[in-house]
Amino acid sequence: ITPATRFEIASATKQFTAAAVMVLVDRKKIDLDASISTYLPGVPPDCRPITVRQLLQHTSGIPGDNSQGSGTDLARVLPSFLKGGPKHKPGTHWEYWNQGYALLSEIVARASGKSYVDFCKAALFQPAGMQASGFTGDSAPSGASVAIGRSADGPPRSALEHPYGDYGFQYRGMGGAVTTVWDLWRWHKALGGKKLLSGAARSSLFKPGLQDYALGWFVKETKGRLVQSHGGGVRGFICDIRRYPKEDACVFVLCNKDDAPLSVVAQGVEQLLFGEELTLSLPRPADPKLAAAASGTYRDGGGNVLELGLEGKTLKGTLTWTGGQVTYMVVGQKGKAFTISDGSDTYDLTLGPAPGGKASSLSFGGTTYTRAK
């Protein structure tokens, strides 16, 4: 592995989808505040108030578990993605919804007249000089270094291998970009210049909304620094991407093992970058009593399934979403508190009452999972 090795970056792909939309805004092909029905046929009446900007900012009001549907036929997946309509008035509630970015990939395709993949390569990667970047399903050039992702829950896979069968709406736009550390540096430089986007488009791209989410980026002040960031995780690969525009600095951590303590590594690199005291704190493995109490199968209200079990001395989990995507989790312990990490983020973990020694529920990140009978 070198800085020129290709890695898949999963949900960090959303920054490219958002930038592709903004290129088309500059070209007056897309209006951020227009209804998505302006660009997508078949949008039901209750979803027509949703705008392009709200898809980008995860404020459409569509619940995050509306994720069933795959393939390349928009007419087949749209009824499932938009089933039930918004649960909150669009623009008033933030809820991370992957499939909103799948719809954005189709908006990009229809507004540009090119496929999403071809447009991103032509309008983003080529102007930025990102010659090694592409998407799952691409062929590797002769002699190219491609990372092999490893996971406890499946066989090894190349960064260029589709994690979900093909690059359909189950993954397109929300994940699937393949890139290198050097190309991410080129991307960082392009975002800071004038070649890729107009000043107005760049300002819109990084203007935070609810929950500090801008357009494909989290944007917030940390330790007096402006940080633009996004992580990602998929079978075999996790990443943490951070930009510090005022300092013209960046941190990219790409990993081909999906249970590595990525956020700890990225935080340590950031501390080194800014000359701060290095304060790494790795959670220790959960104690045997916790492992015994927490192991099992749980479901949330949307039908997503979390399975926890011991692997060696480590309590690991797989969170299988209704759309088929899988997130890999590791449970740790700091003092008497429990944590659960998906590689790019770490959450406090709360166990519900444990009759018979088994936890009745698990809660983290604002969601409760109830033990399956």
Side-chain angles (χ1 to χ4, degrees):
I1 287 176
T2 77
T5 299
R6 290 163 167 82
F7 285 76
E8 197 201 330
I9 60 171
S11 281
T13 300
K14 292 179 176 68
Q15 63 191 280
F16 298 130
T17 304
V21 170
M22 294 313 299
V23 168
L24 291 165
V25 169
D26 271 342
R27 296 180 184 179
K28 303 189 183 307
K29 299 288 188 180
I30 290 178
D31 179 350
L32 286 181
D33 296 311
S35 167
I36 59 173
S37 64
T38 305
Y39 309 100
L40 300 175
V43 174
D46 60 351
C47 293
R48 290 174 190 167
I50 299 171
T51 67
V52 175
R53 188 190 304 272
Q54 289 159 356
L55 284 189
L56 286 162
Q57 292 194 305
H58 297 297
T59 59
S60 66
I62 301 294
D65 55 18
N66 269 34
S67 57
Q68 293 179 314
S70 61
T72 58
D73 185 349
L74 179 69
R76 293 191 64 181
V77 300
L78 199 65
S80 176
F81 288 177
L82 300 178
K83 183 178 180 180
K87 301 303 181 187
H88 303 270
K89 182 181 178 181
T92 66
H93 173 80
W94 189 88
E95 186 170 353
Y96 196 87
W97 182 43
N98 272 316
Q99 271 58 33
Y101 271 74
L103 297 183
L104 287 164
S105 75
E106 185 66 9
I107 290 174
V108 167
R110 290 173 183 261
S112 69
K114 296 182 178 181
S115 73
Y116 166 78
V117 165
D118 287 346
F119 184 77
C120 286
K121 290 178 179 179
L124 304 179
F125 298 165
Q126 289 178 15
M130 300 166 65
Q131 297 181 4
S133 297
F135 294 88
T136 57
D138 288 348
S139 298
S142 178
S145 175
V146 181
I148 302 299
R150 289 171 172 81
S151 173
D153 195 54
R157 56 175 284 260
S158 158
L160 290 168
E161 180 184 342
H162 294 305
Y164 302 116
D166 58 35
Y167 199 44
F169 287 117
Q170 71 273 23
Y171 201 44
R172 185 188 304 162
M174 69 185 81
V178 178
T179 189
T180 71
V181 166
W182 286 132
D183 267 9
L184 285 171
W185 174 77
R186 295 180 179 99
W187 177 240
H188 162 75
K189 301 299 285 187
L191 287 173
K194 299 179 180 179
K195 187 174 182 179
L196 196 65
L197 295 172
S198 68
R202 190 165 55 251
S203 178
S204 293
L205 186 71
F206 291 114
K207 183 178 180 180
L210 298 178
Q211 297 295 314
D212 299 317
Y213 202 87
L215 309 185
W217 293 87
F218 288 97
V219 179
K220 59 184 177 181
E221 291 274 350
T222 301
K223 298 180 182 179
R225 290 189 292 268
L226 179 65
V227 185
Q228 301 162 347
S229 66
H230 213 295
V234 69
R235 179 169 62 88
F237 293 92
I238 49 178
C239 74
D240 192 321
I241 293 173
R242 307 181 184 191
R243 300 182 72 241
Y244 314 90
K246 293 181 180 179
E247 293 84 2
D248 188 22
C250 45
V251 168
F252 312 127
V253 183
L254 310 182
C255 184
N256 61 336
K257 194 171 188 297
D258 57 34
D259 62 355
L262 187 75
S263 59
V264 176
V265 174
Q267 188 61 36
V269 174
E270 180 181 288
Q271 290 170 344
L272 292 172
L273 175 64
F274 290 105
E276 299 172 349
E277 180 184 359
L278 192 61
T279 57
L280 298 182
S281 179
L282 288 169
R284 69 178 190 271
D287 65 40
K289 287 184 179 179
L290 169 68
S295 293
T297 300
Y298 301 81
R299 288 184 173 84
D300 70 3
N304 303 305
V305 178
L306 173 65
E307 296 181 89
L308 290 181
L310 273 175
E311 182 182 320
K313 295 183 178 180
T314 304
L315 184 59
K316 296 186 178 182
T318 56
L319 176 53
T320 304
W321 303 86
T322 54
Q325 299 91 340
V326 178
T327 300
Y328 302 92
M329 317 291 291
V330 177
V331 177
Q333 194 167 347
K334 287 186 177 181
K336 294 183 178 180
F338 305 126
T339 63
I340 188 165
S341 174
D342 61 7
S344 57
D345 291 297
T346 299
Y347 308 91
D348 293 332
L349 175 66
T350 302
L351 276 63
K358 294 290 185 180
S360 58
S361 65
L362 301 172
S363 299
F364 62 92
T367 301
T368 296
Y369 296 82
T370 302
R371 184 180 289 276
K373 301 296 184 183

